Amino acid sequence: MSDSENPPKDTIPPLPSNKDLRITLIGTGTIGLSFAAFHLTHLPSPSQLTIYDVRPNLSTYISNTLPQYLPPSVPASTISSIYIATTLPAAVQNAHIIQESGPENLAFKSKLWAEIEEHALKDALLWSSTSGILASAQAKDMVDKSRVLVVHPYNPPHVMPLLELVPSPHTSAQVIQRTRAFWEACGRVPIHLKKETTGFVANRLAFALLREAIHLVDEGVVDVRELDAIVESSMGPRWAVAGPFKSYHAGGGEGGLEGFFKNIGGTVQECWADTGKVEVGAGWEEEVFRQAKEAYGRVDVGERDRVTRRVLEVLREEKEGKEHSQA
Amino acid sequence: MSDSENPPKDTIPPLPSNKDLRITLIGTGTIGLSFAAFHLTHLPSPSQLTIYDVRPNLSTYISNTLPQYLPPSVPASTISSIYIATTLPAAVQNAHIIQESGPENLAFKSKLWAEIEEHALKDALLWSSTSGILASAQAKDMVDKSRVLVVHPYNPPHVMPLLELVPSPHTSAQVIQRTRAFWEACGRVPIHLKKETTGFVANRLAFALLREAIHLVDEGVVDVRELDAIVESSMGPRWAVAGPFKSYHAGGGEGGLEGFFKNIGGTVQECWADTGKVEVGAGWEEEVFRQAKEAYGRVDVGERDRVTRRVLEVLREEKEGKEHSQA
C-alpha cells in the first residue's frame, strides 16, 4: 500500500462508525440498485440509506426491482425503511457518502456534482460509478475539484469484490484513503489506480482477452460455447486463485516470471505477433451474436451470481484462514 | 458437439473399459508427472500405467518426485506398482494410450512418433502434450499420419480440467472422438480445436490479457500485485462461473451480446484502440520481474492447487446438480 508510506495530514475527519453512517445513492439502474443491495447488507439499519432518482413512481419501482438483488439474509420488507428523497438537496444534505450511478453522460455528471457541492456536507465523499468518464472531467464545474473520485465496480457490485478507485489529479489523498478504508472494512477489494486511463484496468484487461476470443471464433477455431468452456476450465478458476502475474511467476519455478519468459517467451511473442485485431463494427458481429444467442438464450444471472458467491466464499475462507495462521 | 452430427464409420474399436486400459507416459518433466498423478487417481490399478524416459535413475527420480503431485486419496506406495520401462518398444507395445510430454523440440517428437509407430498397437491413441508444435509437423515422418493428436493440458493437468484437442488435417475423426470420450468419462473438459493455430486457444487468450497487464504495469497505472488483485476479485471468479461471451451476453440483458455492444461498444473500441503493444525483450522486463519477485518470492503451488481444487469442486457440484435437476 504505497499511500500509507506518506500518510496525508488528517484535515478531513474519518467517516463515522458504521452505525451512524448515512449513504445516499443517486441513480437506480442496475448498478445503482446493486449498490443499494450491497449497502443494505452492510449497514445496521436500512434507514441509513437514501435513494434519489428523477424516475417517475420511484418508490414503487424500487419495491418491485430491488428485491431480486437482495441475498436471502435481507428480508424484502427492509426496503420500506429506505429513505426515498424527492429533491436532490434533501437527498444529499446529511450524507457522509454520495454515490452516483446515473447516465454515462458528462453533461449530466458535471452538472450533478456542481449542484451536489452546494448542498452536501463539506466532508462528504463523492463517488462516481462511471465505467469511463474521468473524475477530472466530471469535476470541471466544481469549486473544490479535490472531492470527486471514480469508484468503479465490477458488475454486479453486490456480488463482486473489486472496486477500482480512479482519482483525478485534483482528488485529495484523504478522499482516496477514506474511500479505501471504507471498502476494506466491508471486506471488499478497492484498488487505487495511479493514472486515469481509458476504460480503467479491469475492463481493459477483459476486453483485450475478449478481442482475441472474438478473433478465434471469427476464424472458426472454436465456437462461442467452446471458447467459454475453455476459459471456465482453465484461466477462470486459475485466476480466481492467483492472478496472471502470480500464476506465471509460479510457472517459472525457481526462476519466477523471468524463468517463465526464458522458457516460453518465444511462444508468447509468437502469439502476440499473431494476435487478432478485430474492430467493433468490422463484420464479425452477426455470427458471434447469433452463436451467443443460440448457446445461452437468456442467461439466469441469479443462478450465476449464486454460484459466484459460493466461489468467492471459498476464496474468502482460504484468505482469512491464511491471515489467521500467519497472525 | 459438431462431430456427432457426422459419426465416423467405426473402423477403430473403442477403448477397453477402464479396468483393462493400459496407458504409457513418455517424459517425466512437470507435465508428464502431473499426467501420471492424474491417471493414478483414475485407473483402478497403478500397474495399468507405464512410464518411460531416458533420464538416469528413473525409478528413484519418480519415487522422489511424483508424491508431491498426488492427492491425499492416493498413497505414495502406489508408485511402486507403476511399470517403469527401460526401452521404448517395451514401453509402448501393449498400451492403448501413449502420451508424450517430452522436450519441446520437433526433431525429438517426429523421431519419437516414427519409432513408436513401429512398435505400438495399431489402434493405440498417440497424444502429444506440446504447447506449440503442431501435430502435422510431429507426424511428418510417420507412415500413418492419421494417428497423432495434440492433447494440450492447462498446467497442471492433475488439477485443471481443460484439454485442448488439436488435430492435424491428417488426424482421423475416430482418434479425436475416442480421445474426447476418454476425457469426458474422466470428468475433464476436452475441447476440439477446428484449426491448428499458433499457441492454440487458451494460451492465446491468456497471453492477450497478460500483454495488456504488462503494458499497464509498465505505464505505472498499477503494480504487479495490484493487477493480480484486480483479476482475482473480478474476472477470475466471474469467468470460472461463466466465460467471457456468456458473461457479456448476460451483461446485455434482453439484448444479449448484441445489446452489450450497443451499450458500451464505444468504450470497448476505445480500449482496443488504446491497447498496449509491448513486445518480449522490449525493456519492460527488469521492473516487472523485480515486482513479481518482491510480491511473491517463491509461490507455494501446492497451496494454490489445493485452493483451486476447492473452487473446481464447487463448480463441479453446481454443474452436476444442474444436470441432475434437468434430467
Side-chain angles (χ1 to χ4, degrees):
Chain A
M1 302 298 164
S2 54
D3 292 10
S4 60
E5 290 162 22
N6 288 305
K9 290 191 194 83
D10 198 13
T11 55
I12 300 186
L15 284 171
S17 69
N18 206 29
K19 73 175 189 5
D20 297 317
L21 196 63
R22 292 183 301 273
I23 298 180
T24 291
L25 301 179
I26 297 172
T28 52
T30 53
I31 300 289
L33 289 184
S34 176
F35 269 126
F38 173 81
H39 292 306
L40 285 176
T41 60
H42 282 77
L43 289 171
S45 163
S47 65
Q48 297 171 257
L49 186 65
T50 294
I51 298 183
Y52 175 72
D53 201 343
V54 292
R55 195 186 287 271
N57 304 315
L58 185 57
S59 289
T60 310
Y61 168 78
I62 290 174
S63 302
N64 290 339
T65 318
L66 185 50
Q68 67 187 280
Y69 295 85
L70 294 174
S73 60
V74 179
S77 61
T78 305
I79 293 174
S80 61
S81 303
I82 298 170
Y83 175 54
I84 310 292
T86 53
T87 69
L88 185 66
V92 303
Q93 64 192 358
N94 293 313
H96 306 104
I97 292 171
I98 299 166
Q99 192 170 12
E100 79 80 21
S101 307
E104 286 290 76
N105 173 315
L106 175 57
F108 167 83
K109 290 186 198 290
S110 57
K111 185 164 170 288
L112 180 73
W113 290 126
E115 200 176 338
I116 286 173
E117 190 180 30
E118 285 181 36
H119 301 285
L121 297 175
K122 184 172 68 61
D123 302 328
L125 293 172
L126 309 183
W127 297 343
S128 170
S129 308
T130 183
S131 59
I133 304 176
L134 303 184
S136 44
Q138 293 193 36
K140 70 185 175 61
D141 296 332
M142 295 179 76
V143 179
D144 179 359
K145 298 179 187 0
S146 74
R147 301 177 63 186
V148 173
L149 176 64
V150 168
V151 177
H152 178 233
Y154 199 82
N155 203 17
H158 69 293
V159 176
M160 304 304 292
L162 176 66
L163 287 308
E164 293 179 281
L165 312 188
V166 198
S168 78
H170 304 291
T171 311
S172 79
Q174 293 102 313
V175 166
I176 302 167
Q177 199 182 44
R178 290 200 300 158
T179 301
R180 176 146 70 192
F182 171 85
W183 289 106
E184 283 177 349
C186 295
R188 295 301 189 176
V189 181
I191 302 289
H192 170 195
L193 276 50
K194 308 304 181 299
K195 289 180 184 172
E196 292 187 301
T197 179
T198 308
F200 312 137
V201 170
N203 278 344
R204 288 179 73 103
L205 295 173
F207 294 164
L209 185 142
L210 177 66
R211 190 182 202 181
E212 185 61 13
I214 291 169
H215 167 69
L216 290 165
V217 170
D218 194 40
E219 289 284 305
V221 178
V222 284
D223 64 24
V224 156
R225 191 192 281 275
E226 291 165 336
L227 190 128
D228 280 346
I230 286 173
V231 175
E232 291 164 17
S233 52
S234 61
M235 66 211 82
R238 162 57 42 80
W239 289 346
V241 176
F245 285 118
K246 189 173 186 181
S247 292
Y248 292 125
H249 185 67
E254 284 196 39
L257 195 59
E258 184 167 6
F260 170 80
F261 270 92
K262 208 169 278 173
N263 293 341
I264 69 150
T267 304
V268 174
Q269 182 60 41
E270 276 174 44
C271 289
W272 286 355
D274 196 44
T275 300
K277 302 205 172 46
V278 298
E279 308 282 346
V280 172
W284 51 268
E285 279 90 346
E286 192 179 346
E287 174 61 12
V288 173
F289 294 166
R290 189 195 64 71
Q291 285 189 25
K293 208 168 160 181
E294 187 180 293
Y296 303 120
R298 184 81 191 257
V299 176
D300 181 349
V301 294
E303 172 66 10
R304 180 199 65 185
D305 290 344
R306 192 186 58 74
V307 180
T308 306
R309 280 180 203 274
R310 282 196 67 193
V311 169
L312 291 168
E313 179 63 20
V314 165
L315 298 171
R316 197 188 55 72
E317 266 178 38
E318 290 287 346
K319 210 168 180 176
E320 285 178 2
K322 208 170 154 191
E323 278 161 11
H324 195 252
S325 71
Q326 286 172 345
Chain B
M1 300 298 164
S2 53
D3 292 11
S4 59
E5 290 161 24
N6 289 305
K9 291 191 195 83
D10 199 15
T11 55
I12 301 185
L15 284 171
S17 70
N18 206 28
K19 73 176 191 359
D20 296 318
L21 197 64
R22 291 184 301 274
I23 299 178
T24 291
L25 301 179
I26 297 171
T28 52
T30 52
I31 299 289
L33 289 183
S34 175
F35 270 125
F38 173 80
H39 292 306
L40 286 176
T41 59
H42 282 77
L43 290 172
S45 163
S47 65
Q48 296 171 257
L49 187 65
T50 294
I51 298 183
Y52 174 71
D53 201 343
V54 292
R55 195 186 288 270
N57 305 315
L58 185 58
S59 289
T60 310
Y61 167 78
I62 291 174
S63 303
N64 291 339
T65 318
L66 185 50
Q68 66 187 282
Y69 294 85
L70 295 175
S73 59
V74 179
S77 61
T78 305
I79 294 174
S80 60
S81 303
I82 298 170
Y83 175 54
I84 309 293
T86 52
T87 69
L88 185 66
V92 303
Q93 64 191 358
N94 293 313
H96 306 104
I97 292 171
I98 299 166
Q99 192 170 11
E100 80 79 22
S101 308
E104 285 290 77
N105 175 315
L106 175 57
F108 167 83
K109 291 187 197 292
S110 57
K111 185 164 171 290
L112 180 72
W113 291 126
E115 200 175 339
I116 287 172
E117 190 180 29
E118 287 181 36
H119 302 286
L121 298 175
K122 184 173 68 60
D123 302 327
L125 293 171
L126 308 183
W127 296 344
S128 170
S129 307
T130 182
S131 59
I133 303 176
L134 303 184
S136 45
Q138 294 193 34
K140 70 185 175 64
D141 297 333
M142 296 179 77
V143 178
D144 178 0
K145 298 180 187 1
S146 75
R147 302 177 62 186
V148 172
L149 176 65
V150 167
V151 178
H152 177 233
Y154 198 82
N155 204 15
H158 68 293
V159 176
M160 303 305 291
L162 176 67
L163 287 310
E164 292 178 282
L165 312 188
V166 198
S168 79
H170 306 291
T171 310
S172 79
Q174 294 101 313
V175 166
I176 301 167
Q177 201 182 41
R178 290 201 299 159
T179 301
R180 178 147 67 190
F182 171 85
W183 289 106
E184 283 176 350
C186 294
R188 296 302 192 176
V189 182
I191 302 290
H192 170 195
L193 275 50
K194 308 304 180 299
K195 290 180 183 173
E196 293 188 300
T197 178
T198 308
F200 312 137
V201 169
N203 278 344
R204 287 179 74 102
L205 295 173
F207 294 165
L209 185 141
L210 177 66
R211 189 182 202 181
E212 185 61 14
I214 292 169
H215 167 69
L216 290 165
V217 170
D218 194 39
E219 289 284 306
V221 178
V222 284
D223 64 26
V224 156
R225 189 192 281 274
E226 289 164 337
L227 190 129
D228 280 345
I230 285 173
V231 175
E232 290 164 17
S233 53
S234 61
M235 64 211 85
R238 161 56 43 80
W239 289 345
V241 176
F245 285 118
K246 190 172 185 180
S247 292
Y248 291 125
H249 186 67
E254 285 196 38
L257 196 58
E258 184 167 4
F260 170 80
F261 270 93
K262 208 170 277 174
N263 292 342
I264 68 151
T267 305
V268 173
Q269 183 60 41
E270 276 174 45
C271 288
W272 286 355
D274 195 45
T275 301
K277 302 207 173 41
V278 297
E279 308 281 346
V280 171
W284 50 269
E285 278 90 346
E286 190 179 346
E287 174 61 11
V288 173
F289 294 166
R290 188 195 64 71
Q291 285 188 26
K293 206 166 161 184
E294 186 180 292
Y296 303 120
R298 185 82 191 256
V299 177
D300 180 349
V301 293
E303 171 68 10
R304 180 199 65 183
D305 291 345
R306 193 185 59 72
V307 180
T308 306
R309 279 181 204 273
R310 283 197 65 192
V311 169
L312 291 167
E313 179 62 20
V314 165
L315 297 170
R316 197 188 55 73
E317 264 179 37
E318 290 287 346
K319 211 169 180 175
E320 285 178 3
K322 208 170 154 192
E323 278 161 12
H324 195 254
S325 69
Q326 285 172 347

